[in-house]
Amino acid sequence: MSDQKTTHDTRDRILDIAERLFMENGYEATSMRMITGAAEVNLAAVNYHFGSKEALLREVFRRRLSWLNRERLQALDRLEGQAGGAPLKPSQILEAFFGTLLRMGEDEALGGMTFLRLLGRTLTDPAEFIRNFFAGEYAEVIDRYKLALFRALPDVPKAEIVWRLHFMLGAMSYAIAGTDVLQVVTGCGLGDLAGESGSDGPGDLVVARRLAQRLMPFLLGGLRAPLPQSIDLPSQQQEPSR
Amino acid sequence: MSDQKTTHDTRDRILDIAERLFMENGYEATSMRMITGAAEVNLAAVNYHFGSKEALLREVFRRRLSWLNRERLQALDRLEGQAGGAPLKPSQILEAFFGTLLRMGEDEALGGMTFLRLLGRTLTDPAEFIRNFFAGEYAEVIDRYKLALFRALPDVPKAEIVWRLHFMLGAMSYAIAGTDVLQVVTGCGLGDLAGESGSDGPGDLVVARRLAQRLMPFLLGGLRAPLPQSIDLPSQQQEPSR
DNA sequence: TTAAGATTCAAACGAACGTTTGAGCGAAGT
DNA sequence: ACTTCGCTCAAACGTTCGTTTGAATCTTAA
């Protein structure tokens, strides 16, 4: 029973618990009383330290994404410095972007698989304040990596690259969310490796490494797939009348 | 008997409105009063016709997924009948599985892009009753297609195929969800094509076709990507910089 | 016409929600 | 010693939630 409580003790305990509960139940289905109860702090502590429930979710993400954004930009800077003006290889860009994220899943101090799962599940949340928040947090990094891919694949139309970046983000987001129907049906996949509900399976490090090992070749294969042959809509032109 | 005006009028109006509102706000953030208000029916109508809010969501999905499951199984039956015992081509399997779904997005009578977006956003919902429901609905179809892929790719380890099916589901789910950060940052992608917020952009047919045209080559490229070289965890212990 | 069943309706239920309040506490600062 | 300030606390705020109720209204068939 350590009675020693400082300011950051309460703040960080709220953030850690909220991160886990938001991941397990989603934002709307997680109440302030669930969070403060599990964190063993007073109900009013969240509003005192963060201002509101929305601001708490933002802070949960901000403390992780600020590290991730910095790391992703540094990785790209490093690669471009080594290349000395030449375009990067697509595999290098993907490794810097997705590898950096998946390496967060290996380190519990950076949130581990708990944060990765939360991120994957929250990226498809339709709530407006969430989407606005992510848009602001991701803007700079997305733009830098998008331009790097444009230079790495000069023969591919830019719109096509954006589409495939979109698909790659989706495959990763869904994979780290760990809610796939396959996992329940086949008993195989991320959930099987993670041992989500209590049972101590392999640790976050092993889970994240195995996932990265499977995901990266898939993403690269998709990015380099042959372009669709027909330019746009096929022959028949069907217009919804009125 | 055939005149089902009163009953199915209310029932179907509730289902249509609920489908749209669940898509726009998510399950938890959509209240019964929002649904019954927009559908112009009494608040008690949902509990009378469906029993509960959870049962309403299940019915919203069931009326679409029963059609989708039937169509997907028939498509696979047709292909296997034509092949006469020989393994199918992976592209045929993907076309039957993903093409059938994306064709739902073209037809407003089958839910159109509204249902596709709802499906993509709900597949990552952590609520237990939702995941159990999807597991039951998808079990048979997933199993059939999984086996078809095993036979189509006899040289690829089965675990690897399951992983890649997992990734393909993710890319599709995320793409049809239409909540990608790319759309807000770059103003390009599904949301741009869809004109989600009121403005009449291209119809569902055009949106779904363009999406399918871009997604299918990506999925095929990912599925056929070279296998990861190392069997499991590498030797080096890499520490993320802080 | 009339009785029975199906559907709609306004109103209310208890519970849970996010947030606010004002008193109380303990360790600095002067 | 006394004030200040950061923080915690129990209690309550007003609102909204999903659900239930019982009477009113409509539909249907004998």
Side-chain angles (χ1 to χ4, degrees), chain A residues 69 73 97 131-147, chain B residues 181-182 184-186:
Chain A
N69 285 335
L73 291 178
F97 188 83
R131 299 184 53 174
N132 289 339
F133 171 75
F134 277 127
E137 287 285 315
Y138 269 88
E140 185 187 359
V141 172
I142 289 281
D143 207 56
R144 282 286 310 276
Y145 275 84
K146 207 181 56 180
L147 293 179
Chain B
V181 285
L182 270 179
V184 191
V185 174
T186 70

Side-chain angles (χ1 to χ4, degrees), chain B residues 6-7 10 33 42-44 48-49:
Chain B
T6 56
T7 297
T10 295
R33 285 167 179 82
N42 189 268
L43 172 60
Y48 175 78
H49 285 284

Side-chain angles (χ1 to χ4, degrees), chain A residues 28-221:
Chain A
E28 291 284 349
T30 304
S31 71
M32 312 272 294
R33 284 166 179 84
M34 291 167 64
I35 297 170
T36 55
E40 296 178 294
V41 301
N42 188 268
L43 172 59
V46 170
N47 283 283
Y48 175 79
H49 284 285
F50 302 99
S52 67
K53 190 188 176 187
E54 290 193 2
L56 169 61
L57 181 71
R58 276 191 293 262
E59 189 54 34
V60 165
F61 277 102
R62 191 162 0 237
R63 71 168 176 166
R64 305 291 186 202
L65 293 184
S66 66
W67 183 92
L68 176 63
N69 285 335
R70 196 180 332 119
E71 206 71 16
R72 276 175 162 168
L73 291 178
Q74 283 179 5
L76 198 54
D77 287 338
R78 204 177 311 123
L79 286 176
E80 289 177 340
Q82 291 170 359
L88 303 178
K89 289 167 56 183
S91 62
Q92 292 178 300
I93 301 175
L94 295 198
E95 167 57 32
F97 188 83
F98 295 100
T100 302
L101 174 71
L102 292 169
R103 237 166 282 124
M104 284 187 85
E106 303 176 4
D107 192 342
E108 313 243 10
L110 299 174
M113 288 305 298
T114 299
F115 172 71
L116 252 56
R117 270 189 272 262
L118 172 64
L119 181 64
R121 292 171 190 189
T122 313
L123 275 176
T124 53
D125 196 299
E128 195 176 348
F129 87 94
I130 294 180
R131 299 184 53 174
N132 289 339
F133 171 75
F134 277 127
E137 287 285 315
Y138 269 88
E140 185 187 359
V141 172
I142 289 281
D143 207 56
R144 282 286 310 276
Y145 275 84
K146 207 181 56 180
L147 293 179
L149 281 176
F150 288 168
R151 298 212 307 138
L153 300 165
D155 297 333
V156 181
K158 295 184 178 179
E160 198 67 39
I161 294 179
V162 173
W163 276 98
R164 299 202 169 176
L165 182 51
H166 180 78
F167 297 144
M168 291 189 291
L169 276 170
M172 183 214 64
S173 169
Y174 191 81
I176 64 179
T179 56
D180 193 288
V181 286
L182 269 177
Q183 296 178 17
V184 192
V185 174
T186 70
C188 180
L190 189 59
D192 182 47
L193 292 172
E196 181 161 7
S197 56
S199 72
D200 284 357
D204 281 7
L205 189 140
V206 176
V207 174
R209 288 253 174 111
R210 288 194 182 155
L211 174 58
Q213 204 164 26
R214 264 78 182 193
L215 180 58
M216 297 298 298
F218 176 87
L219 297 181
L220 209 73

